[in-house]
Amino acid sequence: MSNFKILLICTAVSYIGAEIQMLINPVNLPENQLPGTELSRAYDKDVAGRPNAYRFLNKTKYFVIDANSGIITSTKIFNYETDPTRFLLIVDTGGDMRHVLTIYINDVPEPPDCNIDPLFSSGSATFEIAEDHPLFQPIYKVSAADEDTAHGDRLTYNIETELSGPKRGANSFGVDPVNGIVSLRGEDVLDFDAGYHTFQLSVRVTDTEGLFCQGTIIINIRNINDETPQFEPFPMDSINVTEKKPIGDFVTRVKATDRDEDSSITYSFKTQQEMFGLDPITGIITLLQPLNLDNPSNSRIYHLEVEARDDGNNTSSYMFTVFVDNADDPISCDPSFSTGPGVSVSVAENIPSSAFIYAILSRDPDLGQEVELFQFVIAVRNRDSLSLESCVGTITINIQNVNDESPVLIYRPEAPININENLPIGTKLAKFTATDRDIADTVYYEFIGTQKEFAINEDSGEVTVAYPLDYEDDTIPKSWVLYVRVYDNDRTHSTTGTLTVILQDVNDNPPQCSQEIYVIELPENIPVGTSLVSLSCTDQDGTIPNNNITYQLIKDTFSNKTFTLTKSELKIGPMHLDYDSTTFAGMDFKHTLFIRVSDEGFPVLSTIIRIILRVSRINEHNPIGSMMTFMFSIFENSPVDSPVGKITYTDEDWPRSNIHYTIVGGNFGIPPKFYIESDTGMIKLLNSLDREAASQYKIAVRVTDMGNDALPDPLRQRSATAQVTIHVLNVNDEPPVCTPPHVETQIFATFRGPIVRLRCSDKDSPQDHLSYSIIEGNKNNQFTLWREGVESPLLATRQDFQYDLLEGAQDVLTFQLLIEVTDELGGNAASQLTSTTTVIIHVLPWTTTRPTSSMKTTTTTPITTSVLRKISYYWRPDSWFPVVLTLAGVLLVMCLYAVSWCLCKDVPACSRLFPHYHRHQPSLTEKDAIQLPSDRNVVSTEQPDKGMRRKLFQWKTF
């Protein structure tokens, strides 16, 4: 019996074009990212390797795409506050597909900028205000900018430190936290005279993120005349003068002092005085009229109120009492009695005898003499009678004094007097006391020779300072021998005495330096031992220890070991400068040092020198990784953009860990298998993995520090290379594959034993993890699988096919066995993959000539296979649909042909296509009968073939 087979193959192909892939989409670009930074990368496998394959369809000047590699970079530094924040870029590779890349500009918190006023940021903004400056009146407005304020960021102002000098500790200023206006707040009143001459304010500007900038302002206080004079009171607020005080003579001196510097005082009486005069400059009160108490119009007590007024028109008054002391007057006689012929006394004739007529008293005021009284009684009698009548008169005789005595010094300083320099003018140094025994003789005092530095009171003998004494003035002697002359009236007699005065040096000059403030900027890597400042200071005081200068460095905790002061030279050491410190960042990266320059006098006087050292950053540290090498693992079926692992590197340079990561080696392929986030060090999957193709990747990552120099310099960037090993973990993604996929062979019915060995393997499973089973076509369990060890099994018969037991002994019996192969034996059933192979066995009737079993591969036998694992995203009809569609098409064609035949059967021109109908039906020959199909069986199979779907339709005719 012959078999005829007609094979009809219909193929349906569906194609999906390649899509442009983006490494990162959307891209989040920080606003301060440097130009040239790789943002994303386009990849189209259809144009990979071609030159000029990538371009933007829409024009943009802010981004560029490399035409060969598809790398997309930026061309500028974006500003979130002024530039657009969203860009849409259309990437084209010349095909039908386009891809839209979205780029967002992200806001990055930026610190405030205090450089609007460069004097403020450098610490040299200086202002002057009067000490009576009103409260809350603006002195200075801190100007700072922050672009983030456009998006709700707010700036806050506060004073970090407030230093005052030369007296320290005042807290007088404040700043408005909202508008930054610096003004007086009233906690401590400004007082120049109390020692508050200058203030240094460090003002910080902070945003809501805690970022800040700061600067310094210096406020100098201008002295004003705001202090009232203060009088030096007299004991008991009174003085005593004798009534014999000569007109124009010195009575006393009032003295007032003023705390204001360089302020002069003038004096005046509150009420007009006729008895006393007042010098408005010196405050000396002199006598204008006699104080004689014998004059009834004169008073014993005078109340004087003196007013002192300074240059600022500030006044104060002082009232004291002048008591006039009584003095014994010399005896005086009636001029008519003491001159000429004397007194002529007339008495009446009847004057009683012994009557008092006239008395003369005599007193000698000289010391040691008594008053003698001479009394003459004159009796007047009548000569003619002897009566006892008489009159008596008394005459007093005045004895006149003669100047025959020299003045005698009762007291004079024997030892030298040591006085300090800068004593106020009028200071009393000593007092000479002398007397003269002559009655009514007065002593006077004077210097022999000219003395500008000292004065002696002519009447009292007090020696006072008359000229400012300055030990450091070369024109002023350091000692004097003063010769004092004491003389009486008319300079008839005189006596001399001496006074030695020695001038003592007083520590009244603080040290003075050539410069009071230094502003220096140095890099942080300057060598230890470098000299910063060499001070040049002097002290004008003339003697030791007043002019011995010492230097003291006032250190804070942070700068304690960074600077050393040796005599007058400030050096770096023993520790070097360090810019890379969080604490130093809070100090605006500057050291503020103070050097106290003092003398050794008493009291100690000093001057403060301020040194501001700004430190500039230097890239001096290499990035350091948390480990020497990094090892990560990832499953081979992980989706694109899955995280693989994170490389962790740190950089001690400030700003800390500002690191850029770049893959520089081992990342082969188009597109590469991995990419790394440049700012985080996270390695992510860029392309699909296949462990069966590569189970391990070794890549090199360059770690580069960024922005760690004051001026960015790519040549000075430091870098390190990290070695990364990535292990690809196996995932059961490869189904078993049998070679060949189907086998066809013949055996005789009497054959028993192994027929054929199955040749199956699995790329991701060993042979002993494959299991085999016959799932279809094994009618009556005629066949079985024999397996020894880990080898592939053999297909064998269970029993002989006896000739007489076969149905239809004249025909060949065909078995089509479908064998299923499953991997991951004993594993998770959900992850197991299967495939099938078809074995066609033709069992031939037994013959005397027993042929050997043969095996061949054929493509004409209908095959039932396989398990479809590919997911298609397009419509696929059910298996019955092609059959119905084909039958409907055949019927439609037959109907059209029948209609055409009916219309054109009688047309001669169409007789060749449509022969005329004959009722006689010719008989079919045996050959024609054989060619007509007697039975139609349709078998439909689906086989995936690289993105294409193929339909195979086969008609079999036996």
Side-chain angles (χ1 to χ4, degrees), residues 571-738:
K571 296 182 178 181
I572 297 176
M575 295 180 60
H576 61 80
L577 297 179
D578 187 9
Y579 184 93
D580 313 308
S581 168
T582 304
T583 303
F584 198 39
M587 298 167 61
D588 198 21
F589 302 106
K590 66 180 180 182
H591 295 278
T592 302
L593 307 176
F594 297 93
I595 298 178
R596 179 183 289 113
V597 184
S598 307
D599 56 25
E600 296 181 354
F602 181 81
V604 175
L605 300 179
S606 61
T607 300
I608 300 298
I609 304 300
R610 185 159 59 99
I611 301 171
I612 300 175
L613 173 60
R614 290 188 173 275
V615 181
S616 58
R617 64 186 181 189
I618 296 296
N619 190 3
E620 56 184 353
H621 295 286
N622 290 325
I624 299 176
S626 59
M627 58 184 67
M628 297 297 294
T629 59
F630 295 84
M631 300 185 66
F632 306 115
S633 299
I634 186 172
F635 287 100
E636 61 176 324
N637 65 340
S638 298
V640 172
D641 212 38
S642 296
V644 177
K646 185 176 182 180
I647 297 176
T648 304
Y649 266 72
T650 58
D651 186 4
E652 293 300 321
D653 289 305
W654 187 272
R656 297 187 186 279
S657 302
N658 186 14
I659 294 175
H660 183 83
Y661 300 86
T662 308
I663 297 177
V664 296
N667 195 19
F668 303 111
I670 300 178
K673 296 296 183 183
F674 308 95
Y675 73 94
I676 189 169
E677 293 181 348
S678 61
D679 55 344
T680 65
M682 175 62 74
I683 299 176
K684 292 187 176 182
L685 189 62
L686 179 61
N687 198 0
S688 59
L689 299 174
D690 187 358
R691 184 180 184 277
E692 288 67 41
S695 61
Q696 178 179 287
Y697 294 87
K698 291 183 178 294
I699 63 176
V701 178
R702 178 182 292 119
V703 184
T704 308
D705 57 12
M706 303 292 289
N708 289 333
D709 282 297
L711 295 176
D713 186 357
L715 298 179
R716 298 181 61 183
Q717 287 180 340
R718 295 176 178 266
S719 63
T721 301
Q723 301 297 330
V724 182
T725 301
I726 301 175
H727 296 281
V728 182
L729 302 180
N730 184 39
V731 175
N732 189 19
D733 58 349
E734 294 286 346
V737 176
C738 296

Side-chain angles (χ1 to χ4, degrees), residues 341-522:
V343 176
S344 177
V345 179
S346 299
V347 297
E349 63 178 344
N350 59 351
I351 186 172
S353 61
S354 301
F356 182 81
I357 298 174
Y358 197 84
I360 300 175
L361 297 177
S362 175
R363 180 185 298 275
D364 189 350
D366 290 335
L367 295 177
Q369 295 185 2
E370 297 179 354
V371 176
E372 297 180 358
L373 178 62
F374 301 90
Q375 185 174 7
F376 297 88
V377 178
I378 300 174
V380 180
R381 293 186 177 86
N382 190 346
R383 292 180 178 180
D384 294 335
S385 64
L386 298 174
S387 63
L388 296 177
E389 296 179 359
S390 63
C391 65
V392 178
T394 302
I395 299 175
T396 302
I397 299 174
N398 185 25
I399 301 175
Q400 298 294 324
N401 181 41
V402 177
N403 187 3
D404 59 352
E405 298 286 342
S406 296
V408 177
L409 280 171
I410 299 174
Y411 172 78
R412 64 179 178 181
E414 298 293 339
I417 299 176
N418 294 310
I419 64 172
N420 293 329
E421 63 172 327
N422 294 338
L423 285 179
I425 295 176
T427 301
K428 178 181 176 181
L429 302 182
K431 182 177 182 180
F432 286 80
T433 303
T435 185
D436 195 328
R437 292 174 56 86
D438 291 317
I439 296 174
D441 209 358
T442 305
V443 294
Y444 300 94
Y445 305 87
E446 68 178 1
F447 285 132
I448 300 175
T450 303
Q451 292 291 339
K452 70 175 182 178
E453 290 86 7
F454 304 99
I456 187 168
N457 188 279
E458 183 181 17
D459 297 311
S460 65
E462 287 187 352
V463 178
T464 58
V465 177
Y467 188 82
L469 301 178
D470 188 356
Y471 192 90
E472 290 74 41
D473 190 349
D474 294 335
T475 63
I476 295 178
K478 303 302 183 286
S479 64
W480 298 263
V481 177
L482 305 178
Y483 294 90
V484 178
R485 178 188 292 121
V486 184
Y487 60 92
D488 59 8
N489 294 341
D490 299 329
R491 296 183 178 269
T492 303
H493 303 282
S494 66
T495 301
T496 60
T498 60
L499 173 63
T500 301
V501 180
I502 299 175
L503 184 63
Q504 300 289 331
D505 184 27
V506 175
N507 189 23
D508 58 347
N509 292 296
Q512 299 294 324
C513 300
S514 59
Q515 190 173 341
E516 293 186 355
I517 183 170
Y518 295 83
V519 179
I520 306 170
E521 183 168 357
L522 293 174

Side-chain angles (χ1 to χ4, degrees), residues 313-343:
N313 211 26
N314 299 309
T315 62
S316 64
S317 60
Y318 176 60
M319 179 176 285
F320 62 95
T321 303
V322 178
F323 294 97
V324 181
D325 296 334
N326 187 23
D328 291 335
D329 295 327
I331 297 175
S332 61
C333 297
D334 187 354
S336 62
F337 176 79
S338 61
T339 60
V343 176

